[in-house]
Amino acid sequence: MEHLANALDKVNLGVAYVVRWLALAMMLVQFTIVVGRYAFGVNSIALQESVLYMHAALFMLAAGYTLLVDKHVRVDVFYAKASSAVRRRIDIFGHLFLLMPSMIALIYWSWPSVRNSWKILEGPISVGGIEAVFLLKSLIPVFCVLLILQSLALLIRLLAVKET
């Protein structure tokens, strides 16, 4: 089972390796927008929207990796002082009854919007923008799948631990 968990980890590691470059690209594009606007009086709606697209892709696609490295925001009221066995039980409960069901619900409820967006190849958010809102909306189910895969990998490891 550890082999399966490692394979699931590799999915999010691979995605994170690729999307981390979006942070640099976002910064460079934003710098170009500012210089273009204030130094040359040139503006581009498509460039501005590209920052939004990269920002969305970076955060939506890196969420599984963030879960992998345990850097999600957590309210540690009870968890921080709990024993490792209690933490393990809390984590198992969270993955099985909170994270996975909410991601499945989000896929279920967002899928009609994503499907319809692809059906009409939904256009730009603003006039002159990027004609690919359907790609932006597609990040929602991909985000959910990546989180489910990482949650499954963590759950496999949690269930493999023998309590003492």
Side-chain angles (χ1 to χ4, degrees):
M1 289 306 274
E2 184 69 25
H3 183 68
L4 176 59
N6 290 337
L8 294 173
D9 286 346
K10 285 181 183 177
V11 171
N12 277 305
L13 284 168
V15 170
Y17 182 79
V18 173
V19 300
R20 69 182 178 172
W21 294 104
L22 287 176
L24 177 62
M26 231 173 27
M27 182 201 62
L28 293 173
V29 171
Q30 188 62 53
F31 178 77
T32 303
I33 291 167
V34 170
V35 169
R37 181 181 301 153
Y38 294 107
F40 303 107
V42 177
N43 191 21
S44 169
I45 302 291
L47 265 182
Q48 290 175 353
E49 276 191 14
S50 74
V51 172
L52 176 121
Y53 277 63
M54 287 185 280
H55 190 259
L58 177 65
F59 284 94
M60 298 289 278
L61 298 176
Y65 175 77
T66 306
L67 183 60
L68 169 65
V69 295
D70 198 26
K71 296 298 181 190
H72 276 276
V73 175
R74 191 184 294 225
V75 181
D76 287 340
V77 176
F78 304 109
Y79 192 86
K81 296 178 183 175
S83 68
S84 61
V86 170
R87 285 184 188 183
R88 183 176 158 274
R89 286 188 213 113
I90 289 170
D91 287 341
I92 290 170
F93 175 83
H95 286 289
L96 284 175
F97 298 105
L98 300 174
L99 180 63
M100 286 189 187
S102 64
M103 291 300 104
I104 291 167
L106 187 55
I107 289 171
Y108 178 80
W109 291 108
S110 68
W111 188 251
S113 177
V114 174
R115 186 185 62 234
N116 291 337
S117 188
W118 272 90
K119 202 179 285 185
I120 64 169
L121 295 176
E122 192 171 355
I125 298 167
S126 305
V127 174
I130 300 171
E131 296 193 24
V133 169
F134 59 97
L135 293 176
L136 199 59
K137 287 185 177 181
S138 298
L139 289 173
I140 299 167
V142 173
F143 158 80
C144 294
V145 167
L146 289 172
L147 273 176
I148 288 170
L149 290 176
Q150 194 56 54
S151 180
L152 186 58
L154 294 171
L155 194 57
I156 289 169
R157 288 190 180 94
L158 288 166
L159 293 173
V161 172
K162 303 288 183 207
E163 286 195 36
T164 55

